[in-house]
Amino acid sequence: MSPRRVGVLVSGSGTNLAALLDAERDGRLAPGEIACVISNRPGVRALERAAAAGKPAVVVDHKQFAGREPFEDALCAELARHEVEAIVLAGFMRVLTPRFLDRFPERVINIHPSLLPAFPGGHAIRDAFEAGVKETGCTVHFVIPAVDAGPVIAQARVSVESGETLDSLEAKIHRAEHALLTSVVKEFMAGKVEVPLSLRPS
Ligand code: GRF
């Protein structure tokens, strides 16, 4: 069955979250809905955006827990409380363990600002810019325990023009991310994203 209630995990500014909230408000995620937004960092802009849209905006601060397991247990408790069936990582800066991911088989997706497998990691836009590539972009992929390595669902390409600055490239990639993530989440919640065999329970 396709997931209807999505939880969005964030850590920062939340512009991708904002794109999803706008899409939901305009009826573009139906029949899906954003059930809650959870941040591992207190006080971030993403939480303000969620609250302004009338969504439960929850902090599960990883620093308050003795390790990954209790942190993830608290995360799972919040997700269960909001009856979340699928998870979108939208700028969520914590690595999730297999123990967490096993609770949501085939149901966790992430947005990354490069054409994976090129430029994984936390500085993907800058790394691509400094490498002098002519084209980069963004990727939505299923999350597996290895970071930025899960099966790709969709990508959008962005060209690097002559005279491009890191700032202008960042702006272009973020625009591409917002459109890509929204369209993939819509398809995902309509049950139209094919789950790769490698992720299906045996
Ligand atoms: C995005 O570039 C996303 O690809 C990466 O973190 C950034 C989050 O930006 N994983 P925002 O919080 O959605 O503005």
Side-chain angles (χ1 to χ4, degrees):
M1 209 185 74
S2 53
R4 290 285 186 265
R5 292 175 63 78
V6 70
V8 184
L9 304 192
V10 296
S11 302
S13 70
T15 62
N16 281 285
L17 168 68
L20 292 175
L21 291 167
D22 287 352
E24 185 185 19
R25 182 199 58 209
D26 297 345
R28 286 181 281 130
L29 293 188
E33 64 173 308
I34 297 169
C36 67
V37 175
I38 305 178
S39 173
N40 67 305
R41 288 196 189 131
V44 294
R45 178 89 176 91
L47 289 165
E48 291 170 22
R49 296 184 200 271
K55 296 295 178 186
V58 181
V59 177
V60 180
D61 181 353
H62 64 279
K63 292 188 178 151
Q64 304 297 319
F65 296 89
R68 282 195 197 275
E69 287 199 2
F71 166 64
E72 291 184 348
D73 286 346
L75 216 47
C76 282
E78 284 299 332
L79 293 165
R81 195 157 74 85
H82 295 284
E83 299 176 351
V84 164
E85 298 164 305
I87 296 169
V88 176
L89 308 184
F92 183 66
M93 303 306 282
R94 301 296 294 172
V95 173
L96 294 168
T97 69
R99 187 166 161 272
F100 178 94
L101 293 171
D102 282 350
R103 301 197 203 182
F104 294 91
E106 318 142 33
R107 292 286 171 96
V108 187
I109 67 175
N110 180 47
I111 175 95
H112 181 81
S114 76
L115 295 174
L116 290 172
F119 306 110
H123 305 286
I125 303 178
R126 192 186 68 198
D127 292 347
F129 183 74
E130 289 178 354
V133 295
K134 293 277 169 280
E135 186 180 67
T136 178
C138 52
T139 302
V140 178
H141 63 94
F142 285 106
V143 176
I144 62 170
V147 175
D148 297 334
V152 169
I153 299 171
Q155 296 184 307
R157 296 176 179 278
V158 169
S159 58
V160 184
E161 309 295 342
S162 70
E164 192 88 53
T165 64
L166 180 56
D167 282 351
S168 67
L169 183 61
E170 274 177 351
K172 282 201 298 199
I173 291 182
H174 289 316
R175 273 200 301 279
E177 284 192 308
H178 302 160
L180 184 71
L181 184 62
T182 304
S183 82
V184 171
V185 169
K186 179 184 169 58
E187 300 277 291
F188 188 52
M189 296 177 94
K192 292 183 184 163
V193 170
E194 196 177 335
V195 177
L197 280 176
S198 61
L199 289 186
R200 292 185 202 157
S202 46

